[in-house]
Amino acid sequence: ADMRDYVHRLLESRYSVETASNGEVALEAIGRCRPDLILTDVMMPRLDGIGLLKAVRGGPPALRDLPVVLLSARAGEEAKVEGLEAGADDYLIKPFSAQELLARVAANISMARLRRQADQTRVLVEELQHRTRNLMGVVRSIADKTLRSSADLTDFSARFSDRLEVLSRDQSLLSRVNEHDRDTCDELI
């Protein structure tokens, strides 16, 4: 309780802080309102910090990416590695300085925001790529139809040109026949 109060006092001037007396209460609070960071002691009643960490990482997808910083009196590389391998983002050994705690909290919150922004950007890029592929398909389809139409138009134009030549010859013949008929008519009169 003393450590919880101390950490609360350190962080409350910069952050909105909610404390919990044990891991189960913390997990309920996290489920109600997604925090920016979980700062938990490894040693807690009912559900310890490692259990809380595993529940968050294995819980609802909206909570899995929450940064988790473990606090522990267990010094040594083995304890730290155990916490990090369990999925913690950071591990702080007690006693720690107020400045170090504040710096690690700020760094983990910033990194989590950057990861979320990167994930959102990745999703937007994938959506844009999908839409671009769809648009390219539409453009190819239009181009194919245009080329077919162009080929049809060229074919029509060639056939029409041939028919125009025939019509032109027929008109020329008709003109000559008309002239001949007029000439014949003139001779008869």
Side-chain angles (χ1 to χ4, degrees):
D2 290 340
M3 177 58 76
R4 186 172 58 242
D5 292 339
Y6 170 69
V7 169
H8 185 272
R9 281 192 313 273
L10 283 176
L11 298 174
E12 72 180 339
S13 65
R14 297 178 187 195
Y15 305 100
S16 173
V17 180
E18 184 175 342
T19 60
S21 58
N22 64 60
E24 289 178 355
V25 172
L27 191 56
E28 289 173 16
I30 293 164
R32 282 192 310 274
C33 181
R34 182 189 187 334
D36 291 327
L37 176 122
I38 300 170
L39 181 65
T40 182
D41 200 315
V42 171
M43 301 298 291
M44 288 191 298
R46 294 195 191 156
L47 181 65
D48 67 10
I50 300 291
L52 176 61
L53 171 63
K54 289 179 179 178
V56 168
R57 295 292 185 247
L63 300 178
R64 291 181 189 159
D65 67 339
L66 277 171
V68 178
V69 178
L70 294 176
L71 304 177
S72 178
R74 288 180 54 205
E77 187 176 336
E78 186 177 314
K80 188 174 190 175
V81 168
E82 179 186 341
L84 295 172
E85 284 180 347
D89 294 278
D90 207 346
Y91 190 96
L92 196 55
I93 299 168
K94 297 186 242 176
F96 48 81
S97 72
Q99 286 181 326
E100 183 179 14
L101 175 66
L102 292 170
R104 288 185 187 229
V105 166
N108 278 284
I109 289 173
S110 292
M111 288 302 296
R113 283 187 181 137
L114 289 172
R115 281 191 295 270
R116 278 194 305 275
Q117 288 172 351
D119 286 345
Q120 290 169 347
T121 300
R122 180 188 48 76
V123 167
L124 290 173
V125 166
E126 287 173 358
E127 176 66 21
L128 186 58
Q129 288 172 335
H130 175 73
R131 288 180 181 202
T132 300
R133 282 191 298 273
N134 286 345
L135 185 58
M136 289 305 295
V138 169
V139 168
R140 280 189 203 102
S141 175
I142 290 170
D144 288 346
K145 288 177 183 175
T146 301
L147 289 174
R148 278 192 299 254
S149 295
S150 178
D152 291 345
L153 187 59
T154 302
D155 183 49
F156 173 78
S157 178
R159 283 183 289 162
F160 188 70
S161 176
D162 290 346
R163 290 194 178 142
L164 278 177
E165 272 183 45
V166 169
L167 281 173
S168 179
R169 280 190 304 234
D170 289 349
Q171 191 170 3
S172 176
L173 281 172
L174 271 173
S175 290
R176 280 190 265 154
V177 166
N178 279 339
E179 279 180 35
H180 179 68
D181 284 348
R182 258 187 264 136
D183 289 344
T184 307
C185 273
D186 285 343
E187 286 177 10
L188 288 175
I189 300 181

